[in-house]
Every structure is written in C-alpha cells, then in structure tokens.
Amino acid sequence: MTSQTYLSELFSLDGRVAVVTGGSSGIGRAIAGALARAGASVVVVARGEKELAATVDELSADGCRAAWVSADLRTRDGVRAAAEKAAEVFGEPDILVNSAGVNLRPPMGELGEEVWDTTMAVNLDAPYLLGQRFGPGMAARGFGRILHITSQQAHRAFVQSGAYGVSKGALESLARSQAEAWSPHGVTCNTLVPGFVMTPLNARLSSDPEKVAALAARTLVGRNGLAEDFAGAVVFLASRASAYVTGQAIFVDGGFSVH
Ligand SMILES: NC(=O)c1ccc[n+]([C@@H]2O[C@H](COP(=O)([O-])OP(=O)(O)OC[C@H]3O[C@@H](n4cnc5c(N)ncnc54)[C@H](OP(=O)(O)O)[C@@H]3O)[C@@H](O)[C@H]2O)c1
C-alpha cells in the first residue's frame, strides 16, 4: 500500500457532500476550502452574494465542486429555506459545519433583547435547526459529521463575553446532545474552539496593534490564529479517521487556553 492510498483511506472526502454556513468569510471560508480540496462537494451558505460567489469561483478554479446559497440565518424560516436549497444542490449532506456567527459585544449592563435574540438566533438556533434537519438523515445513512465553531468564551468570560459567550457555551452543549443522540449511528458531533483569529468578525479589535500583540503573547505558539490553521482539524473531524472522536471541544488556539 502506498502512503497516498493509506492517507486517502483515512482522510479522503471524495464523494461526500458538505454544507458550511458562514463559508464565505474567515474561518468558514478556509474550512469550506479544506473540505472541497479534500474531495467533498461543498455548499457555502451566508447572506452576501458577492463573497459567496467569490468563494465558489476560487474553489471551482482549483478544480473543486462548490456552490452557494444566499440565506439569512437570523430567522427560523430563513434557516429552513437555506437547508432545503443547500440539499438540492448536491444532495443531502454528510458533513455540516456551522461557522456562521455574530459577535455583538455591548457591556453586560447595556445588553438588550435585540442583541440577545440575534446572537442566539444565528449562533445557536441555526445550528440546532440545521442539526434537526440533517442529523436524522445522516444517522439513517450510517455516516455523518456535525461540526460547530465555538469560542474561548464558551469556557471562560473575558472581553465582555455577554450573550456571545452564552451562545457558544450552549453550542458546545448542543454538540454533546447531538453526539449522544446520533453517535451510535455513525454521526459524530464536535466543536472547534478558536483562539483569536483576524477576520472581519473582529475587525475592531484587529485594528488595535497593541491588543493584537497582547493576544498573540497569550498563546504558546506566539502568534494569533490564521483561518488556514483550521484546515487539518476540520478534514480530520469530517473524515472516516475521526469515527471515535465525538462530543469533544477541540481547541485550535495555539495554546491560548492552557495557561
Ligand atoms: N475570528 C475569531 O477570532 C473567532 C474566535 C472565536 C470564535 N469564532 C467563531 O468562528 C466563526 C466564524 O467566524 P469568523 O471569524 O470566520 O467570522 P467572519 O469572517 O465574520 O464570517 C462570518 C460568516 O458568517 C456569515 N453570517 C453572519 N451572519 C449571518 C446571517 N445572519 N445569516 C447567514 N450568514 C451569516 C457571514 O456572511 P454574511 O455576513 O455575508 O452573511 C460570514 O460568512 C463564528 O461562529 C465565530 O463566532 C471566531
């Protein structure tokens, strides 16, 4: 057996179908690219059509199979419509990655219901609804991979965690509930936990060089994260190789969380 055959048996996503919410930007875009380059047919879901089309164009130019669905995940009807449209493109997904997220961080005393509701809708309700739509089918087919992107704030409060931290803590619990339900049927459910990654999500913080340097100093590796740092972890967690890894929070944070 060649090493290429061995690696392919473990990690190839050939023939798999993936849906990646938030796949048009930042971490989600890098994840969509990694899954597509590892062989999956990928549907990226977000609102902005320009960014969606640019993502798909880049992947298509690389010889990948990719498509996009524009949808607003703030409403339950929007999520349901997105799920149906996404499943129409390449068929029911084997892999679901929930990377779409909002990061609204007013001080706790000023946190109003609108910010709370939007945060819960996008960061928690959408992953729940998409899991309900796709998880049972994955279980019936005997293979599935559900991945959520959470946050350090799921584990500790800092920089005004507010509703954001609550949504991400609950998302980790959702992964465990999903893992409990569907792991016996070949569907693993895990979360990836970033440290600080410079993306449009945290543009305000990214524009402060002192804060950026201080965050880098808090890692063990000595730098902040790059979206590309998630490629290896996501291919592993989407592949056959990770069949016995479920209900876990996997930190991809350069050691940010361990000291
Ligand atoms: N960057 C970090 O340091 C960091 C740290 C911890 C956790 N995370 C988490 O990682 C995930 C990805 O973050 P990122 O940094 O890659 O952010 P990003 O670059 O801002 O990307 C966010 C994505 O979500 C989509 N999105 C936002 N609201 C949406 C809505 N209502 N409906 C549909 N799509 C929506 C955006 O597209 P449209 O705006 O076009 O809809 C975009 O594709 C998030 O869940 C975030 O909480 C990030």
Side-chain angles (χ1 to χ4, degrees):
M1 182 189 276
T2 64
S3 60
Q4 198 156 359
T5 307
Y6 179 70
L7 289 172
S8 176
E9 281 178 6
L10 277 173
F11 299 117
S12 173
L13 302 181
D14 283 345
R16 302 287 190 208
V17 173
V19 171
V20 182
T21 74
S24 63
S25 178
I27 295 169
R29 183 166 176 161
I31 284 175
L35 296 175
R37 291 183 178 99
S41 301
V42 177
V43 184
V44 288
V45 180
R47 289 167 302 178
E49 298 193 358
K50 204 170 121 232
E51 294 78 10
L52 284 163
T55 306
V56 168
D57 286 351
E58 182 197 314
L59 293 176
S60 303
D62 245 13
C64 299
R65 266 183 111 206
W68 58 268
V69 166
S70 174
D72 190 342
L73 302 177
R74 275 178 303 189
T75 68
R76 292 184 177 185
D77 284 346
V79 178
R80 290 190 190 102
E84 296 316 315
K85 280 191 203 154
E88 273 168 23
V89 188
F90 300 121
E92 293 290 315
D94 310 291
I95 301 158
L96 167 66
V97 181
N98 290 299
S99 187
V102 292
N103 183 28
L104 308 168
R105 305 274 278 274
M108 193 70 198
E110 294 164 28
L111 201 165
E113 290 175 18
E114 200 178 318
V115 164
W116 178 272
D117 289 345
T118 301
T119 302
M120 295 306 157
V122 179
N123 292 7
L124 183 59
D125 294 358
Y128 153 70
L129 289 168
L130 292 172
Q132 294 305 100
R133 170 61 182 81
F134 296 132
M138 292 177 184
R141 293 188 299 277
F143 180 92
R145 298 287 184 260
I146 298 179
L147 287 167
H148 308 289
I149 313 303
T150 63
S151 166
Q152 300 291 318
Q153 275 88 358
H155 299 263
R156 59 189 60 79
F158 67 102
V159 203
Q160 295 172 359
S161 298
Y164 182 79
V166 179
S167 71
K168 295 298 186 178
L171 195 52
E172 296 209 348
S173 294
L174 175 67
R176 287 188 286 270
S177 297
Q178 293 173 326
E180 179 190 11
W182 297 321
S183 298
H185 309 289
V187 184
T188 65
C189 309
N190 294 288
T191 68
L192 287 172
V193 190
F196 177 69
V197 186
M198 291 221 261
T199 67
L201 190 84
N202 49 35
R204 206 162 42 117
L205 190 54
S206 303
S207 62
D208 182 334
E210 272 179 33
K211 285 195 178 138
V212 169
L215 286 162
R218 276 186 65 169
T219 68
L220 297 181
V221 169
R223 66 166 173 83
N224 289 312
L226 303 169
E228 293 68 35
D229 288 324
F230 294 81
V234 83
V235 170
F236 167 63
L237 288 174
S239 70
R240 280 181 290 272
S242 60
Y244 205 56
V245 180
T246 194
Q248 302 300 315
I250 316 282
F251 288 72
V252 180
D253 68 354
F256 190 100
S257 53
V258 295
H259 70 117

